[in-house]
Amino acid sequence: MSELFDVTIIGGGPAGLYSTFYSGLRNMKTKLIESQAQLGGKVLLYPEKMIWDAGGQPPILAHKFAEQLINQAKTFHPTILTNTKVDFIEKDSNNVFVITTNDGSKHYSKSIIMANGGGIINPQKLEIEGAEKYEMTNLHYTVQSLKPFHNKRVLVSGGGNGAIDWAVELLDIAEEIIVAYRKDQLSAHEAQVVRLQESKKVTFLLNTTIERLIANKEKTKVKQVVLKKHDTDQTLLHGIDHIIVSHGYNRDASLEFANNSALKLKDNYYYEGTATGKTSQEGIFAAGDILSYEGKVNLLVGAFQDAVNAVNSAKTYIEPTADKIGMVSSHNEKFQEKNRQLIKQMLVQ
Ligand SMILES: Cc1cc2nc3c(=O)[nH]c(=O)nc-3n(C[C@H](O)[C@H](O)[C@H](O)COP(=O)(O)OP(=O)(O)OC[C@H]3O[C@@H](n4cnc5c(N)ncnc54)[C@H](O)[C@@H]3O)c2cc1C
């Protein structure tokens, strides 16, 4: 049998990353499995947005926050696998969980923390042949930085909160903004729509979809878009520098449990559990957006609290005589050496 871990955490979003850190603090041999190439979970969907509501943390760009979470998760040198999707979970006759991943490998663990959020989330792509060629240049599904849009003509495709929020972010940056939406009314928060309507930079094209992308001579970038107005059957040609497509997300929540490990669901989707991270299955705990219980907080701070509870529950499940809660970090011996090094560094600066 390959290596046996105390806990395997499924999902490398905020809940999984903080569980990884905390299980290290509780001396557990830890593995984290994440299906995407990058750790960070949903926070990577809004990398250029400011986060204000994480306790004690000054306003911070989401991608920076994700970076900090990832560094913290690595504190106790866990095993981290990315680009690896968990497909199947079962329990063997020795009460060990066997986790099968999409590459066919098996992972063995005494306990599991499900931190798989809303599943694997990917933006819905433009259904136009060859569109993927421009994803490296000027066709964007997420905005990593606002800099490239400075004084540029930007087409935002979509009319929900995601699209309209991006258009508002660009108000002081772009030269011109076209919002194209397939429906006859925008479906975003009214206050944000009003901000766009008050600006002379913004043109709204409703009942409109992108029909074709026309590339530059080198075929590296989109130079013009052909838009179709469905109410009038009119075709419009627009020169643009960038396109932001915000058409929502596809979710892949496929992950199966053997009969002896199946979890009870709430609303056919969330794992029904308790505030201490327990699920209906002994030895499988949960944290973050995927877990449902009374008083649940679906925010980063809620994910962190869930992570601490799930780890403490997993610890006492595999070691019933262990302390129910971990020692606070300020007085925890585990940090003594690290604190000495940090203080030394501070004195040098
Ligand atoms: C646009 C937006 C803005 C937000 N802004 C804020 C904010 O300002 N403040 C705040 O507190 N909260 C905010 N939130 C909420 C916050 O991002 C979530 O509550 C948080 O990301 C939940 O973390 P999680 O780890 O539970 O789930 P997720 O972040 O969804 O992470 C789950 C991870 O599990 C992985 N995964 C799923 N299935 C598998 C599988 N089978 N195998 C392996 N890996 C798998 C996924 O790829 C993903 O990386 C925002 C959310 C959104 C969508």
Side-chain angles (χ1 to χ4, degrees), residues 109-122:
S109 194
K110 293 181 197 169
S111 67
I112 291 179
I113 295 178
M114 303 298 301
N116 46 331
I120 301 153
I121 297 178
N122 283 307

Side-chain angles (χ1 to χ4, degrees), residues 9-17 33-36 38-46 49-54 62 65 81 84-88 101 114-121 162 165 249 251-256 287-291 296-304 306:
I9 295 157
I10 300 171
L17 289 167
I33 305 180
E34 165 58 49
S35 65
Q36 308 267 25
Q38 271 183 299
L39 297 166
K42 278 193 211 87
V43 179
L44 301 179
L45 299 179
Y46 49 99
K49 299 268 182 190
M50 281 285 184
I51 295 175
W52 283 78
D53 52 357
F65 189 69
L81 305 179
T84 310
K85 177 180 178 276
V86 170
D87 279 338
F88 192 69
T101 48
M114 303 298 301
N116 46 331
I120 301 153
I121 297 178
D165 283 357
Y249 296 94
R251 285 167 194 269
D252 173 4
S254 62
L255 189 163
E256 287 185 34
D289 282 0
I290 193 64
L291 176 66
K296 170 80 187 183
V297 174
N298 277 90
L299 286 173
L300 296 164
V301 289
F304 300 149
D306 285 356

Side-chain angles (χ1 to χ4, degrees), residues 154-159 162-168 170 177-181 210 242-247:
V154 185
L155 170 71
V156 177
S157 178
I164 297 307
D165 283 357
W166 282 123
V168 170
L170 290 171
I177 303 166
I178 302 165
V179 176
Y181 189 39
I210 302 176
H242 288 277
I243 307 172
I244 298 175
V245 176
S246 184
H247 291 177

Side-chain angles (χ1 to χ4, degrees), residues 45-337:
L45 299 179
Y46 49 99
E48 280 298 311
K49 299 268 182 190
M50 281 285 184
I51 295 175
W52 283 78
D53 52 357
Q57 164 70 60
I60 181 169
L61 284 170
H63 74 86
K64 191 83 198 135
F65 189 69
E67 206 178 295
Q68 290 182 181
L69 275 176
I70 295 164
N71 287 338
Q72 185 182 37
K74 292 178 179 167
T75 308
F76 300 106
H77 312 292
T79 298
I80 297 181
L81 305 179
T82 50
N83 276 320
T84 310
K85 177 180 178 276
V86 170
D87 279 338
F88 192 69
I89 296 174
E90 62 196 311
K91 210 186 226 181
D92 70 12
S93 51
N94 298 316
N95 253 355
V96 167
F97 288 102
V98 184
I99 299 160
T100 308
T101 48
N102 58 337
D103 52 0
S105 29
K106 308 249 182 235
H107 309 261
Y108 300 90
S109 194
K110 293 181 197 169
S111 67
I112 291 179
I113 295 178
M114 303 298 301
N116 46 331
I120 301 153
I121 297 178
N122 283 307
Q124 274 190 30
K125 303 262 174 126
L126 265 190
E127 285 180 13
I128 293 180
E129 216 184 304
E132 67 284 353
K133 287 200 292 269
Y134 311 112
E135 288 181 26
M136 298 301 285
T137 52
N138 65 344
L139 171 63
H140 314 270
Y141 293 100
T142 52
V143 175
Q144 298 295 332
S145 159
L146 291 172
K147 267 194 211 145
F149 302 93
H150 190 65
N151 284 338
K152 301 290 182 198
R153 299 161 302 165
V154 185
L155 170 71
V156 177
S157 178
N161 285 320
I164 297 307
D165 283 357
W166 282 123
V168 170
E169 294 273 345
L170 290 171
L171 275 177
D172 295 330
I173 293 169
E175 179 190 283
E176 184 193 348
I177 303 166
I178 302 165
V179 176
Y181 189 39
R182 69 192 157 90
K183 294 190 183 167
D184 58 4
Q185 262 191 338
L186 299 169
S187 52
H189 293 305
E190 200 185 328
Q192 291 287 79
V193 174
V194 169
R195 285 182 71 184
L196 292 183
Q197 285 167 338
E198 283 168 354
S199 169
K200 290 202 174 89
K201 276 185 188 177
V202 184
T203 309
F204 293 98
L205 295 172
L206 298 175
N207 292 306
T208 303
T209 54
I210 302 176
E211 199 167 67
R212 205 152 55 86
L213 305 175
I214 300 172
N216 60 357
K217 250 198 243 150
E218 299 78 25
K219 307 245 177 284
T220 52
K221 283 184 173 187
V222 182
K223 189 179 74 172
Q224 289 172 307
V225 283
V226 178
L227 297 163
K228 175 87 187 227
K229 267 195 121 306
H230 295 281
D231 48 350
T232 57
D233 245 2
Q234 214 183 342
T235 302
L236 309 167
L237 182 69
H238 269 278
I240 50 95
D241 299 305
H242 288 277
I243 307 172
I244 298 175
V245 176
S246 184
H247 291 177
Y249 296 94
N250 293 317
R251 285 167 194 269
D252 173 4
S254 62
L255 189 163
E256 287 185 34
F257 294 89
N259 283 341
N260 67 358
S261 311
L263 297 186
K264 202 163 159 193
L265 299 183
K266 170 100 196 293
D267 299 333
N268 275 329
Y269 187 76
Y270 302 99
Y271 302 141
E272 193 171 309
T274 67
T276 53
K278 292 186 177 148
T279 67
S280 59
Q281 186 63 238
E282 271 205 14
I284 304 186
F285 305 90
D289 282 0
I290 193 64
L291 176 66
S292 169
Y293 58 85
E294 201 186 330
K296 170 80 187 183
V297 174
N298 277 90
L299 286 173
L300 296 164
V301 289
F304 300 149
Q305 164 147 352
D306 285 356
V308 173
N309 279 313
V311 169
N312 284 335
S313 293
K315 177 78 180 174
T316 47
Y317 167 74
I318 63 170
E319 213 182 299
T321 56
D323 289 336
K324 284 199 167 60
I325 55 171
M327 167 67 94
V328 287
S329 63
S330 57
H331 290 65
N332 196 315
E333 279 184 9
K334 264 191 101 70
F335 294 105
Q336 260 179 17
E337 184 47 40

